[in-house]
């Protein structure tokens, strides 16, 4: 496998070797409880693979190949033993509890040794709702809802 973080730093392997050590990690994920974090990405490629690669995230994180459909696990199928440079996206789930979190993405299969990408981030507790006396609305994180008002 070859891994490349969004900052462009690439881990490389000797030609013909199926796997290599994964020295990179993705950290700095931040979110407010009840909300997803911003998305971070890395790319994955491989050679001399003998089958599909399963990519699985740990409990508080989720992954995607397109930034629209995030899941806990997905499968990448190489062509002729080669997995072309494939962008993978990671984010903190909106169900993650407040606190400092660590996790990982496991890359397995294809006849290669498992490789783990370390993840880390922080979820802040949601603040109390904010009521605006002028609008009659309640603001909770990033959504508004109307509250009852007496009309004279």
């Amino acid at each position: 496998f070859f891994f490349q973080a969004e900052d462009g730093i690439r881990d490389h392997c000797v030609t013909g070797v199926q796997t290599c050590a994964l020295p990179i990690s993705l950290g700095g994920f931040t979110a407010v409880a009840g909300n997803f974090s911003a998305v971070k990405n890395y790319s994955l490629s491989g050679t001399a693979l003998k089958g599909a690669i399963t990519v699985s995230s740990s409990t508080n994180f989720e992954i995607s190949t397109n930034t629209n459909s995030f899941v806990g696990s997905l499968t990448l199928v190489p062509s002729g033993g080669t997995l072309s440079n494939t962008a993978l996206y990671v984010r903190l789930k909106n169900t993650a509890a407040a606190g400092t979190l660590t996790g990982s993405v496991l890359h397995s299969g294809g006849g290669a040794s498992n490789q783990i990408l370390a993840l880390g981030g922080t979820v802040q507790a949601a603040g109390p709702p904010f009521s605006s006396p002028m609008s009659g609305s309640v603001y909770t994180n990033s959504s508004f809802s109307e509250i009852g008002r007496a009309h004279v």
Side-chain angles (χ1 to χ4, degrees), residues 2-3 6 11 13 16 22 24 31 39-40 46 48 60 67 77 81 89 95 98 110-112 119 131 133 136 146 149:
F2 297 86
F3 300 92
E6 64 185 348
D11 176 44
C13 300
L22 180 60
I24 62 172
V39 174
K40 293 186 179 252
N60 292 310
T67 72
V77 180
Y89 304 89
T95 56
L119 305 173
S131 293
E146 289 295 316
R149 289 193 276 175

Side-chain angles (χ1 to χ4, degrees), residues 32-50:
V32 174
N35 295 284
F36 296 106
S37 70
V39 174
K40 293 186 179 252
N41 71 293
Y42 67 101
S43 58
L44 177 68
S45 61
T47 58
L49 298 169
K50 296 179 177 118

Side-chain angles (χ1 to χ4, degrees), residues 93-114:
K93 288 182 178 179
N94 63 346
T95 56
T100 300
L101 303 173
T102 58
S104 62
V105 176
L106 171 65
H107 307 82
S108 60
S113 299
N114 292 349

Side-chain angles (χ1 to χ4, degrees), residues 48-93:
L49 298 169
K50 296 179 177 118
I53 303 299
T54 300
V55 182
S56 304
S57 61
S58 56
T59 304
N60 292 310
F61 295 88
E62 53 191 4
I63 52 177
S64 175
T65 56
N66 60 23
T67 72
N68 294 319
S69 301
F70 283 83
V71 294
S73 181
L74 55 87
T75 301
L76 302 173
V77 180
S79 176
T82 299
L83 180 66
S84 297
N85 203 24
T86 302
L88 294 169
Y89 304 89
V90 184
R91 71 181 180 187
L92 273 167
K93 288 182 178 179

